[in-house]
Amino acid sequence: MKFSLDFALSVVPVILSGLFTTLWITVAACVGASVLGFTFEILRRSNRWLGYVMRFLIDVIRSTPVLVQLYFLYFVMPFYGVTLSAVMAGVLGLSVYYSGYLAEVFKGGIDSIDTGQFEAGKALGLTRMDVVLRIVAPQMLRNVVAPMGNYFVSALKATPYLAVIAVPEMLGIALEVGANSFRYAEPMIAVGIIFLILAVGINQLVRLLEKKMLASSAR
Amino acid sequence: MNQTINAVEISGLNKSYGKFQVLRDIDLSVRANERVVICGPSGSGKSTLIRCINQLETHDSGTVRVNGNVLGKGTPRMHALRRDIGMVFQHFNLFPHLTVLQNCTLALRRARAMTHEQANEVARHYLARVRIPEQQDKYPGQLSGGQQQRVAIARALCMNPKVMLFDEPTSALDPEMIKEVLDVMTDLARDGMTMLCVTHEMAFARTVADRVIFMDAGSIVEQAPPETFFSAPSHPRARQFLSQLL
């Protein structure tokens, strides 16, 4: 069976019907992972014992396959009374998985902030929360745009894992097209190209943001 | 305000970093409106002492009482008590991501619950007082060291503190910028601000201080009015220190 360009073009709109799902899951997972990762890292720093607990948690998250985490959320949790929809489990799974990596990124970003910044905030009588959100977070973000962007692209490329729990994202749709037509080359190539375009787009956006941040920190 | 309450009341203060004892049995009281200059060789514990006053460092034993409140490791709402203790650092520690005005207003808005307008008004007042009102929309990185330190002083003053701590405020400055900062501090002293100042600027100590404290190896070895301290230091270590400065 030869590769048919006509068939390839005809499956693109079908696959693109999953684009929205892929995109919003990516965005939700990135936001979730950032918030979770930042919270983990701040808690890790807050005191010694909580620090050990968070360190362990971050290491567990980073050291288990994302598929295991997804299966756990979707197939195991219901036995303990927590039933999540496929999409919810997917977003939560990717959020948790990437939160471990982002916590490490944030650690580096916070370590590179001068301790005088924390002290100045403290000396002014700001609460811990205000020091974290108003002084640490904005300065940290300047340091971590590039590595954060990498993980965002990685999260986009991890959305096809959700096909295994039947989330209607692009790879799942492409597989379905393949199964129905017995032609896999066209849908796989199409879905690959769509992901490529999205990933390049995110990378460009991150680079732009990085440039802007560099310009503002040069002030 | 009860005039009998000392601004700072420290007794039997000890602190160690591991085996190294930085502060030994420090007793110190500072009255309201008093200007105290703390000097001594590096490593003598001067900075640690004033950092214990706003609990950026916690002490091992002894008591620290500031504005009538006992401060220590478990003091509840420590952040609220720090609002009445201003601090100026050697390296300014301005927030680089905020403008000069925002540096001054952040704590007013977050800790004093002021609106933007109220906070801006207070901040402009103090920026004018440190003679830098025209720089309010610049970022710290765009200012000279002397200007940055004056902004840092304004930022601390905005909170209307009862005590001001200065931790070697001119040590990181180029010589030609030291004067502009000392002038601001001298003005502040004339207006009756309670000040504790760690500095090596002896001319400043002589004109401004009510009392000079000399520290060595974690202890206060001599304290006297500046005239006495500079003309007739009684402790040999102080004599040696002063002779090296001249």
Side-chain angles (χ1 to χ4, degrees), chain A residues 168-214:
Chain A
E169 52 68 57
M170 291 193 296
L171 181 73
I173 295 172
L175 282 172
E176 218 177 272
V177 171
N180 292 339
S181 62
F182 301 108
R183 302 179 69 121
Y184 283 93
E186 291 86 353
M188 284 308 125
I189 287 171
V191 82
I193 290 173
I194 295 170
F195 269 108
L196 179 70
I197 292 169
L198 289 177
V200 168
I202 296 180
N203 270 328
Q204 288 303 325
L205 231 100
V206 168
R207 239 166 254 163
L208 213 78
L209 203 65
E210 208 186 348
K211 250 192 198 160
K212 233 180 118 182
M213 291 259 183
L214 271 179

Side-chain angles (χ1 to χ4, degrees), chain A residues 125-128, chain B residues 54-55 58 64 66 68-85:
Chain A
L126 294 175
T127 58
R128 229 188 241 192
Chain B
N54 68 351
Q55 292 286 300
T58 51
V64 175
V66 183
N69 301 299
V70 178
L71 310 184
K73 248 174 208 143
T75 305
R77 295 184 55 75
M78 187 60 231
H79 63 274
L81 299 175
R82 285 199 185 100
R83 290 167 191 169
D84 292 327
I85 311 170

Side-chain angles (χ1 to χ4, degrees), chain A residues 7-212:
Chain A
F7 182 57
L9 289 175
S10 76
V11 300
V12 167
V14 184
I15 293 171
L16 281 180
S17 70
L19 175 69
F20 181 72
T21 307
T22 294
L23 279 182
W24 90 253
I25 286 178
T26 305
V27 171
C30 288
V31 171
S34 301
V35 172
L36 263 183
F38 188 65
T39 310
F40 287 167
E41 175 54 18
I42 293 301
L43 290 177
R44 194 188 65 76
R45 286 166 181 269
S46 65
N47 78 56
R48 201 161 139 213
W49 292 107
L50 197 54
Y52 291 138
V53 174
M54 296 320 292
R55 176 79 267 160
F56 179 72
L57 180 65
I58 291 168
D59 285 345
V60 167
I61 291 174
R62 292 197 310 146
S63 312
T64 45
V66 63
L67 274 179
V68 173
Q69 293 178 19
L70 282 174
Y71 280 134
F72 186 85
L73 283 173
Y74 193 60
F75 294 117
V76 180
M77 292 302 273
F79 286 106
Y80 300 96
V82 183
T83 308
L84 297 168
S85 69
V87 169
M88 276 309 293
V91 169
L92 191 62
L94 291 182
S95 295
V96 169
Y97 183 67
Y98 283 99
S99 71
Y101 290 96
L102 285 176
E104 288 296 303
V105 169
F106 295 153
K107 175 178 184 296
I110 295 175
D111 283 344
S112 64
I113 299 173
D114 183 55
T115 49
Q117 293 292 311
F118 300 82
E119 290 183 348
K122 249 172 140 181
L124 281 169
L126 294 175
T127 58
R128 229 188 241 192
M129 189 71 146
D130 275 338
V131 172
V132 166
L133 294 181
R134 310 270 163 171
I135 298 170
V136 175
Q139 296 190 57
M140 178 201 77
L141 277 177
R142 286 181 176 185
N143 298 335
V144 300
V145 188
M148 253 178 114
N150 283 340
Y151 283 114
F152 287 177
V153 171
S154 180
L156 166 77
K157 292 187 298 168
T159 53
Y161 281 123
L162 307 193
V164 301
I165 52 171
V167 173
E169 52 68 57
M170 291 193 296
L171 181 73
I173 295 172
L175 282 172
E176 218 177 272
V177 171
N180 292 339
S181 62
F182 301 108
R183 302 179 69 121
Y184 283 93
E186 291 86 353
M188 284 308 125
I189 287 171
V191 82
I193 290 173
I194 295 170
F195 269 108
L196 179 70
I197 292 169
L198 289 177
V200 168
I202 296 180
N203 270 328
Q204 288 303 325
L205 231 100
V206 168
R207 239 166 254 163
L208 213 78
L209 203 65
E210 208 186 348
K211 250 192 198 160
K212 233 180 118 182

Side-chain angles (χ1 to χ4, degrees), chain B residues 34-50:
Chain B
E34 196 179 8
R35 274 87 53 175
V36 174
V37 162
I38 303 170
C39 61
S42 57
S44 58
K46 306 165 299 225
S47 288
T48 311
L49 174 60
I50 71 163

Side-chain angles (χ1 to χ4, degrees), chain B residues 165-186:
Chain B
L165 310 173
F166 292 86
D167 189 2
E168 304 205 26
T170 57
S171 300
L173 294 175
D174 292 336
E176 68 263 34
M177 290 168 187
I178 291 177
K179 187 176 175 297
E180 63 186 63
V181 171
L182 289 181
D183 284 349
V184 165
M185 289 168 63
T186 307

Side-chain angles (χ1 to χ4, degrees), chain B residues 136-192:
Chain B
Q136 63 167 39
D137 294 321
K138 289 198 177 160
Y139 286 86
Q142 298 170 304
L143 304 183
S144 73
Q147 291 173 322
Q148 288 191 49
Q149 193 59 300
R150 285 188 282 148
V151 172
I153 294 173
R155 178 176 72 176
L157 289 176
C158 279
M159 296 298 282
N160 195 18
K162 297 194 178 95
V163 185
M164 280 285 283
L165 310 173
F166 292 86
D167 189 2
E168 304 205 26
T170 57
S171 300
L173 294 175
D174 292 336
E176 68 263 34
M177 290 168 187
I178 291 177
K179 187 176 175 297
E180 63 186 63
V181 171
L182 289 181
D183 284 349
V184 165
M185 289 168 63
T186 307
D187 281 356
L188 202 56
R190 294 226 169 90
D191 293 346

